[in-house]
Amino acid sequence: MGSMYSITVEELHRRMEAGEELLLLDVRNEEEYSDWKIEGRTIRSVNIPYFDFLEEDERVYADLPKDKDIVVVCAKGGASDFVAEQLAERGHRAGSLKDGMLAWSQYYTPVVVHEDEKMKLIQINRLAKGCLSYAIVSDGKGMIIDPSKDIEVYTELAREHQFTIEHVVDSHLHADHISGGIKLAEAAGAAYYLSSQEAKGTALKFEPLERHKRIQVGDVHVEVLSIPTPGHTPGSTSFLIDNRFMLSGDTIFVGGLGRPDLGGKAKEWAEDLYHTVFVTLKDLPDDCLVLPGHYSDIREMNDQGIVGERLGTIRANNAIMRNDDKTSFTEQVAASVSMEKPPNFEDIVAINRGELQVDFDKAVELEIGPNRCAVHHHG
Amino acid sequence: MADRIVDAKGMACPMPVVKAKKAMDELQSGQILEVLATEKGSLKDIPAWAGKSGHEVLETAEENGVFRFVIKKG
């Protein structure tokens, strides 16, 4: 008879990356599970709420394998300890995810997208949220784009890759997660940039993005793209490096276009999005790699663990990006708008506007849940 | 009036549901159990557990961070 063990999110992710076939037994209630869960290419996930294991009914164990590793997951790690123990007593190989989805929601993994003698481009993936931020590094200097609230992720990255953070940028005012932009800029002594249109009506201190055609990072010129590149929100900005890499924020995703509805003006913003796709981005080459601010499906990640796609492929896969008839384009985009808003988006926007302060626990609670910022994926 | 009260204030998940379940096992069908908890997860877990076990949640309330559930045994 075995005993249950505890597994950290780092270890779980390492085993997922190694392609281990794990069974994730999620013991949260059905509503929480259907809303948001851990996904991976080689893992299978099942949901049996922990209270089912309280009944003296052995049938609940019947379908669970004894020849495979089971990782039990709950919200904070308490219920998963309990269930993993029950499983271990019955001869299953069971681990309990330490601190549960709470820890998973704050787990980040950096991947080097590109490296040459001039620069290094790193994508920092917050797996639980499908949130992506970036570091552009050149000659010991760095620019961070769309950092999340857990800023030590970026200060540690700077230490590891030996650069000083000189520029911190938010591509837009985020509705789905709490920005670490200002906090990181302060901690690193860096400049903080945001589009004036996004900051309208707030008391945020920032360097207006629209005043910069390009931002120099070491030997690299980062082009601030067509200011503002509207679409998702009116002041949304994209960044371009040598026409080879486009950091698209929430304008274009691997699977399609951003959703223009979050400000309540779907039709007007759909027209802006049309302009972005058919005027601003028209001349960008097909082999330009689009690196978005979010993804919503594990299938958007390639074999190297990078979320990105050639612009040509995105154009080919999304009929809407070839529909240059303005009227039908805007109608289609406006009609595809989902009424589902990111969880707690009003509070999150207020925090990012500097109008609401919350403590760490509250921030964690507000951010928990899936990302819902894309129009649709794989449609 | 509740036939039994479970005070699970200050207890973390899964204890509020564990305690509620134990107390419920000792009640007769139709009797009333009241559960007090501060664990935020209880807000969804207690009704989900009760529903699955065939009990009926008569009342859910929150006061000063304490959740109160009134549940009728099925």
Side-chain angles (χ1 to χ4, degrees), chain A residues 28-32 49-52 54-56 74 76 78-79 82 365, chain B residues 12-15 17-18 21 25 39-41 44-46 48-49 52-53:
Chain A
R28 293 174 300 156
N29 64 57
E30 282 157 15
E31 186 189 338
E32 286 170 327
Y50 66 88
F51 33 83
D52 288 6
L54 296 175
E55 308 296 330
E56 285 91 44
C74 70
K76 291 180 294 188
F82 164 78
E365 188 192 322
Chain B
C13 176
M15 288 321 287
V17 177
V18 171
K21 200 248 169 217
D25 285 348
E39 162 67 57
K40 280 188 182 154
K44 280 179 181 166
D45 286 355
I46 293 270
W49 158 73
K52 267 198 150 181
S53 311

Side-chain angles (χ1 to χ4, degrees), chain A residues 5 8 19 38 65 88 90 105 116 139 150 178 188 217-218 236 241 254 261 305-306 315 317 320 357-358 365 375:
Chain A
Y5 62 95
T8 63
I38 298 178
R90 287 163 179 79
S105 78
D116 58 30
D139 194 27
D150 304 306
I178 296 169
V217 185
S236 187
I241 307 164
V254 167
D261 56 321
I306 297 165
R315 282 173 174 147
N317 289 346
I320 192 149
Q357 265 91 42
V358 295
E365 188 192 322
V375 169

Side-chain angles (χ1 to χ4, degrees), chain A residues 107-133:
Chain A
Y107 178 65
Y108 299 77
T109 173
V111 186
V112 176
V113 174
H114 173 82
E115 187 171 6
D116 58 30
E117 48 304 336
K118 208 168 76 169
M119 74 148 191
K120 202 187 279 184
L121 179 56
I122 305 167
Q123 181 178 67
I124 301 111
N125 190 333
R126 185 179 189 182
L127 291 159
K129 294 277 301 170
C131 274
L132 303 163
S133 41

Side-chain angles (χ1 to χ4, degrees), chain B:
Chain B
M1 263 307 275
D3 297 290
R4 179 91 187 257
I5 295 177
V6 165
D7 184 353
K9 292 199 293 286
M11 290 180 190
C13 176
M15 288 321 287
V17 177
V18 171
K19 295 267 179 198
K21 200 248 169 217
K22 274 199 180 135
M24 198 58 112
D25 285 348
E26 291 161 15
L27 293 181
Q28 304 296 320
S29 179
Q31 285 190 298
I32 306 288
L33 175 73
E34 185 176 320
V35 182
L36 301 170
T38 46
E39 162 67 57
K40 280 188 182 154
S42 311
L43 200 52
K44 280 179 181 166
D45 286 355
I46 293 270
W49 158 73
K52 267 198 150 181
S53 311
H55 312 307
E56 188 188 351
V57 180
L58 302 175
E59 202 186 320
T60 303
E62 192 206 334
E63 204 174 325
N64 301 324
V66 179
F67 304 110
R68 198 174 126 256
F69 306 91
V70 181
I71 309 160
K72 187 168 137 192
K73 177 152 179 166

Side-chain angles (χ1 to χ4, degrees), chain A residues 225 229 238-241 243-249 251-252 276 281 284 288-292 311:
Chain A
L225 201 64
T229 304
S238 295
F239 303 91
L240 189 64
I241 307 164
N243 269 9
R244 288 193 298 162
F245 304 99
M246 180 189 166
L247 278 54
S248 61
T251 304
I252 300 183
T276 305
L281 305 182
L284 278 184
C288 177
L289 185 65
V290 174
L291 297 160
L311 188 54

Side-chain angles (χ1 to χ4, degrees), chain A residues 228-372:
Chain A
T229 304
H232 189 61
T233 59
S236 187
T237 307
S238 295
F239 303 91
L240 189 64
I241 307 164
D242 293 339
N243 269 9
R244 288 193 298 162
F245 304 99
M246 180 189 166
L247 278 54
S248 61
D250 279 8
T251 304
I252 300 183
F253 298 100
V254 167
L257 299 175
R259 32 183 298 191
D261 56 321
L262 293 176
K265 296 179 186 165
K267 185 107 198 317
E268 288 91 322
W269 291 1
E271 283 173 17
D272 288 344
L273 195 55
Y274 177 90
H275 189 271
T276 305
V277 172
F278 293 103
V279 181
T280 316
L281 305 182
K282 186 171 170 284
D283 296 325
L284 278 184
D286 273 349
D287 65 357
C288 177
L289 185 65
V290 174
L291 297 160
H294 290 117
Y295 63 103
S296 66
D297 191 303
I298 192 84
R299 286 171 295 183
E300 292 174 67
M301 201 183 292
N302 70 19
D303 292 341
Q304 289 90 54
I306 297 165
V307 180
E309 188 54 273
R310 305 276 161 207
L311 188 54
T313 310
I314 299 176
R315 282 173 174 147
N317 289 346
N318 285 275
I320 192 149
M321 290 189 68
R322 300 191 301 272
N323 179 11
D324 63 359
D325 178 73
K326 192 171 177 179
T327 316
S328 90
F329 174 95
T330 48
E331 271 168 15
Q332 259 190 64
V333 169
S336 72
V337 154
S338 150
M339 294 317 286
E340 246 183 326
K341 303 269 195 262
N344 306 313
F345 88 103
E346 278 159 337
D347 279 347
I348 289 173
V349 166
I351 293 168
N352 287 339
R353 286 173 63 87
E355 290 156 0
L356 177 66
Q357 265 91 42
V358 295
D359 61 20
F360 178 79
D361 287 350
K362 183 72 186 165
V364 167
E365 188 192 322
L366 285 172
E367 281 196 332
I368 271 185
N371 184 276
R372 295 204 180 94

